[in-house]
Amino acid sequence: MLRISADPAELDFDRVHAFLRDSYWAAGIPAATLRRALDHSICYSGFLGGEQVAFARAVTDQATFAYLADVFVDEAHRGQGHGRAIVCALLDDPRLQGLRRLHLVTRDMQPLYAGFGFEALSQPERHMQKHDPDVYRRG
């Protein structure tokens, strides 16, 4: 059974960094950048035995808005409900209750997030972004 913790002292930074620096969404992220990001986020870690196999975080003001980010399950442990469990635990965090908007971006996990009530943007023309996909390569 997946043990889930929000204790920052339990987070395996090296494991999280190793996964994210090879992911499609955070490829090449420097360790210092990730450390700063995690220090300013609500982070949840999932463990089997003593090994961290899952992770999710929320970037939030804890009052009106949160961005769900960096959700992953180690490839060897996928398909067992661990992604759903860690997202559920994070979304149940008291600091994320009563928010007006929760946002996320995903390439291929829409069915997972739809199960939590996420849906496509109702007014995408109102949303804008400033995106720099090469920022980590210049750093």
Side-chain angles (χ1 to χ4, degrees), residues 65-82:
F65 177 82
Y67 178 80
L68 181 60
D70 296 334
V71 177
F72 75 81
V73 175
D74 182 85
E75 191 171 344
H77 301 284
R78 292 179 187 162
Q80 300 171 42
H82 301 321

PDB file of all heavy atoms in Angstrom, residues 65-82:
ATOM      1  N   PHE A  65      -6.224  30.287  -5.473  1.00  0.00           N
ATOM      2  CA  PHE A  65      -5.731  29.635  -6.683  1.00  0.00           C
ATOM      3  C   PHE A  65      -4.659  28.604  -6.352  1.00  0.00           C
ATOM      4  O   PHE A  65      -3.869  28.797  -5.439  1.00  0.00           O
ATOM      5  CB  PHE A  65      -5.129  30.696  -7.614  1.00  0.00           C
ATOM      6  CG  PHE A  65      -4.514  30.131  -8.866  1.00  0.00           C
ATOM      7  CD1 PHE A  65      -5.299  29.821  -9.966  1.00  0.00           C
ATOM      8  CD2 PHE A  65      -3.147  29.893  -8.944  1.00  0.00           C
ATOM      9  CE1 PHE A  65      -4.732  29.305 -11.123  1.00  0.00           C
ATOM     10  CE2 PHE A  65      -2.574  29.375 -10.102  1.00  0.00           C
ATOM     11  CZ  PHE A  65      -3.378  29.078 -11.188  1.00  0.00           C
ATOM     12  N   ALA A  66      -4.642  27.537  -7.153  1.00  0.00           N
ATOM     13  CA  ALA A  66      -3.549  26.569  -7.068  1.00  0.00           C
ATOM     14  C   ALA A  66      -3.294  25.996  -8.456  1.00  0.00           C
ATOM     15  O   ALA A  66      -4.208  25.877  -9.279  1.00  0.00           O
ATOM     16  CB  ALA A  66      -3.869  25.438  -6.104  1.00  0.00           C
ATOM     17  N   TYR A  67      -2.047  25.681  -8.694  1.00  0.00           N
ATOM     18  CA  TYR A  67      -1.612  25.031  -9.929  1.00  0.00           C
ATOM     19  C   TYR A  67      -1.042  23.674  -9.551  1.00  0.00           C
ATOM     20  O   TYR A  67      -0.090  23.591  -8.767  1.00  0.00           O
ATOM     21  CB  TYR A  67      -0.554  25.897 -10.623  1.00  0.00           C
ATOM     22  CG  TYR A  67      -0.004  25.273 -11.889  1.00  0.00           C
ATOM     23  CD1 TYR A  67      -0.725  25.344 -13.077  1.00  0.00           C
ATOM     24  CD2 TYR A  67       1.217  24.618 -11.892  1.00  0.00           C
ATOM     25  CE1 TYR A  67      -0.233  24.765 -14.244  1.00  0.00           C
ATOM     26  CE2 TYR A  67       1.709  24.048 -13.054  1.00  0.00           C
ATOM     27  CZ  TYR A  67       0.991  24.118 -14.225  1.00  0.00           C
ATOM     28  OH  TYR A  67       1.478  23.546 -15.364  1.00  0.00           O
ATOM     29  N   LEU A  68      -1.655  22.620 -10.040  1.00  0.00           N
ATOM     30  CA  LEU A  68      -1.205  21.258  -9.790  1.00  0.00           C
ATOM     31  C   LEU A  68      -0.060  20.957 -10.744  1.00  0.00           C
ATOM     32  O   LEU A  68      -0.193  21.141 -11.956  1.00  0.00           O
ATOM     33  CB  LEU A  68      -2.369  20.289 -10.004  1.00  0.00           C
ATOM     34  CG  LEU A  68      -2.108  18.812  -9.769  1.00  0.00           C
ATOM     35  CD1 LEU A  68      -1.662  18.543  -8.343  1.00  0.00           C
ATOM     36  CD2 LEU A  68      -3.366  18.018 -10.083  1.00  0.00           C
ATOM     37  N   ALA A  69       1.070  20.510 -10.203  1.00  0.00           N
ATOM     38  CA  ALA A  69       2.261  20.348 -11.030  1.00  0.00           C
ATOM     39  C   ALA A  69       3.062  19.107 -10.643  1.00  0.00           C
ATOM     40  O   ALA A  69       2.967  18.607  -9.523  1.00  0.00           O
ATOM     41  CB  ALA A  69       3.152  21.581 -10.885  1.00  0.00           C
ATOM     42  N   ASP A  70       3.876  18.664 -11.598  1.00  0.00           N
ATOM     43  CA  ASP A  70       4.920  17.664 -11.370  1.00  0.00           C
ATOM     44  C   ASP A  70       4.420  16.352 -10.776  1.00  0.00           C
ATOM     45  O   ASP A  70       5.103  15.715  -9.981  1.00  0.00           O
ATOM     46  CB  ASP A  70       6.040  18.252 -10.493  1.00  0.00           C
ATOM     47  CG  ASP A  70       6.748  19.400 -11.168  1.00  0.00           C
ATOM     48  OD1 ASP A  70       6.754  19.451 -12.413  1.00  0.00           O
ATOM     49  OD2 ASP A  70       7.310  20.258 -10.460  1.00  0.00           O
ATOM     50  N   VAL A  71       3.236  15.937 -11.175  1.00  0.00           N
ATOM     51  CA  VAL A  71       2.707  14.656 -10.706  1.00  0.00           C
ATOM     52  C   VAL A  71       3.413  13.539 -11.464  1.00  0.00           C
ATOM     53  O   VAL A  71       3.479  13.551 -12.689  1.00  0.00           O
ATOM     54  CB  VAL A  71       1.187  14.560 -10.938  1.00  0.00           C
ATOM     55  CG1 VAL A  71       0.651  13.199 -10.517  1.00  0.00           C
ATOM     56  CG2 VAL A  71       0.467  15.690 -10.213  1.00  0.00           C
ATOM     57  N   PHE A  72       3.957  12.577 -10.717  1.00  0.00           N
ATOM     58  CA  PHE A  72       4.536  11.413 -11.375  1.00  0.00           C
ATOM     59  C   PHE A  72       4.449  10.185 -10.493  1.00  0.00           C
ATOM     60  O   PHE A  72       4.370  10.271  -9.274  1.00  0.00           O
ATOM     61  CB  PHE A  72       5.985  11.657 -11.815  1.00  0.00           C
ATOM     62  CG  PHE A  72       7.018  11.648 -10.711  1.00  0.00           C
ATOM     63  CD1 PHE A  72       7.523  10.446 -10.201  1.00  0.00           C
ATOM     64  CD2 PHE A  72       7.523  12.831 -10.216  1.00  0.00           C
ATOM     65  CE1 PHE A  72       8.481  10.442  -9.212  1.00  0.00           C
ATOM     66  CE2 PHE A  72       8.489  12.837  -9.226  1.00  0.00           C
ATOM     67  CZ  PHE A  72       8.974  11.638  -8.717  1.00  0.00           C
ATOM     68  N   VAL A  73       4.446   9.037 -11.170  1.00  0.00           N
ATOM     69  CA  VAL A  73       4.583   7.727 -10.532  1.00  0.00           C
ATOM     70  C   VAL A  73       5.688   7.013 -11.286  1.00  0.00           C
ATOM     71  O   VAL A  73       5.697   7.004 -12.528  1.00  0.00           O
ATOM     72  CB  VAL A  73       3.264   6.915 -10.595  1.00  0.00           C
ATOM     73  CG1 VAL A  73       3.455   5.509 -10.038  1.00  0.00           C
ATOM     74  CG2 VAL A  73       2.154   7.639  -9.846  1.00  0.00           C
ATOM     75  N   ASP A  74       6.609   6.432 -10.545  1.00  0.00           N
ATOM     76  CA  ASP A  74       7.690   5.676 -11.158  1.00  0.00           C
ATOM     77  C   ASP A  74       7.105   4.635 -12.107  1.00  0.00           C
ATOM     78  O   ASP A  74       6.105   3.982 -11.793  1.00  0.00           O
ATOM     79  CB  ASP A  74       8.503   4.998 -10.049  1.00  0.00           C
ATOM     80  CG  ASP A  74       9.681   4.240 -10.579  1.00  0.00           C
ATOM     81  OD1 ASP A  74      10.742   4.844 -10.796  1.00  0.00           O
ATOM     82  OD2 ASP A  74       9.520   3.015 -10.794  1.00  0.00           O
ATOM     83  N   GLU A  75       7.723   4.506 -13.267  1.00  0.00           N
ATOM     84  CA  GLU A  75       7.199   3.629 -14.315  1.00  0.00           C
ATOM     85  C   GLU A  75       6.913   2.209 -13.837  1.00  0.00           C
ATOM     86  O   GLU A  75       5.919   1.601 -14.215  1.00  0.00           O
ATOM     87  CB  GLU A  75       8.177   3.600 -15.493  1.00  0.00           C
ATOM     88  CG  GLU A  75       7.606   2.938 -16.714  1.00  0.00           C
ATOM     89  CD  GLU A  75       8.479   3.093 -17.942  1.00  0.00           C
ATOM     90  OE1 GLU A  75       9.381   3.954 -17.943  1.00  0.00           O
ATOM     91  OE2 GLU A  75       8.241   2.344 -18.901  1.00  0.00           O
ATOM     92  N   ALA A  76       7.753   1.673 -12.979  1.00  0.00           N
ATOM     93  CA  ALA A  76       7.577   0.296 -12.485  1.00  0.00           C
ATOM     94  C   ALA A  76       6.357   0.140 -11.586  1.00  0.00           C
ATOM     95  O   ALA A  76       5.938  -0.988 -11.303  1.00  0.00           O
ATOM     96  CB  ALA A  76       8.834  -0.148 -11.727  1.00  0.00           C
ATOM     97  N   HIS A  77       5.776   1.247 -11.140  1.00  0.00           N
ATOM     98  CA  HIS A  77       4.658   1.178 -10.192  1.00  0.00           C
ATOM     99  C   HIS A  77       3.384   1.810 -10.736  1.00  0.00           C
ATOM    100  O   HIS A  77       2.446   2.070  -9.984  1.00  0.00           O
ATOM    101  CB  HIS A  77       5.063   1.843  -8.875  1.00  0.00           C
ATOM    102  CG  HIS A  77       6.251   1.201  -8.250  1.00  0.00           C
ATOM    103  ND1 HIS A  77       6.168  -0.005  -7.591  1.00  0.00           N
ATOM    104  CD2 HIS A  77       7.556   1.567  -8.229  1.00  0.00           C
ATOM    105  CE1 HIS A  77       7.374  -0.337  -7.162  1.00  0.00           C
ATOM    106  NE2 HIS A  77       8.235   0.595  -7.541  1.00  0.00           N
ATOM    107  N   ARG A  78       3.324   2.031 -12.033  1.00  0.00           N
ATOM    108  CA  ARG A  78       2.133   2.620 -12.640  1.00  0.00           C
ATOM    109  C   ARG A  78       1.028   1.580 -12.798  1.00  0.00           C
ATOM    110  O   ARG A  78       1.279   0.386 -12.775  1.00  0.00           O
ATOM    111  CB  ARG A  78       2.480   3.233 -13.995  1.00  0.00           C
ATOM    112  CG  ARG A  78       3.370   4.442 -13.845  1.00  0.00           C
ATOM    113  CD  ARG A  78       3.747   5.064 -15.153  1.00  0.00           C
ATOM    114  NE  ARG A  78       4.730   6.124 -14.903  1.00  0.00           N
ATOM    115  CZ  ARG A  78       5.512   6.629 -15.810  1.00  0.00           C
ATOM    116  NH1 ARG A  78       5.431   6.222 -17.075  1.00  0.00           N
ATOM    117  NH2 ARG A  78       6.386   7.564 -15.490  1.00  0.00           N
ATOM    118  N   GLY A  79      -0.178   2.066 -12.961  1.00  0.00           N
ATOM    119  CA  GLY A  79      -1.314   1.181 -13.180  1.00  0.00           C
ATOM    120  C   GLY A  79      -1.847   0.535 -11.914  1.00  0.00           C
ATOM    121  O   GLY A  79      -2.647  -0.394 -11.982  1.00  0.00           O
ATOM    122  N   GLN A  80      -1.437   1.040 -10.758  1.00  0.00           N
ATOM    123  CA  GLN A  80      -1.871   0.456  -9.485  1.00  0.00           C
ATOM    124  C   GLN A  80      -2.660   1.448  -8.629  1.00  0.00           C
ATOM    125  O   GLN A  80      -2.916   1.195  -7.463  1.00  0.00           O
ATOM    126  CB  GLN A  80      -0.643  -0.042  -8.709  1.00  0.00           C
ATOM    127  CG  GLN A  80       0.147  -1.096  -9.471  1.00  0.00           C
ATOM    128  CD  GLN A  80       1.463  -1.415  -8.785  1.00  0.00           C
ATOM    129  OE1 GLN A  80       1.505  -1.535  -7.564  1.00  0.00           O
ATOM    130  NE2 GLN A  80       2.521  -1.559  -9.558  1.00  0.00           N
ATOM    131  N   GLY A  81      -3.005   2.589  -9.215  1.00  0.00           N
ATOM    132  CA  GLY A  81      -3.800   3.579  -8.499  1.00  0.00           C
ATOM    133  C   GLY A  81      -2.988   4.570  -7.678  1.00  0.00           C
ATOM    134  O   GLY A  81      -3.559   5.396  -6.965  1.00  0.00           O
ATOM    135  N   HIS A  82      -1.661   4.521  -7.792  1.00  0.00           N
ATOM    136  CA  HIS A  82      -0.825   5.418  -6.990  1.00  0.00           C
ATOM    137  C   HIS A  82      -0.952   6.877  -7.434  1.00  0.00           C
ATOM    138  O   HIS A  82      -0.921   7.784  -6.591  1.00  0.00           O
ATOM    139  CB  HIS A  82       0.640   4.983  -7.027  1.00  0.00           C
ATOM    140  CG  HIS A  82       0.865   3.601  -6.526  1.00  0.00           C
ATOM    141  ND1 HIS A  82       0.200   3.072  -5.445  1.00  0.00           N
ATOM    142  CD2 HIS A  82       1.697   2.615  -6.968  1.00  0.00           C
ATOM    143  CE1 HIS A  82       0.604   1.834  -5.228  1.00  0.00           C
ATOM    144  NE2 HIS A  82       1.508   1.534  -6.151  1.00  0.00           N
TER     145      HIS A  82
END
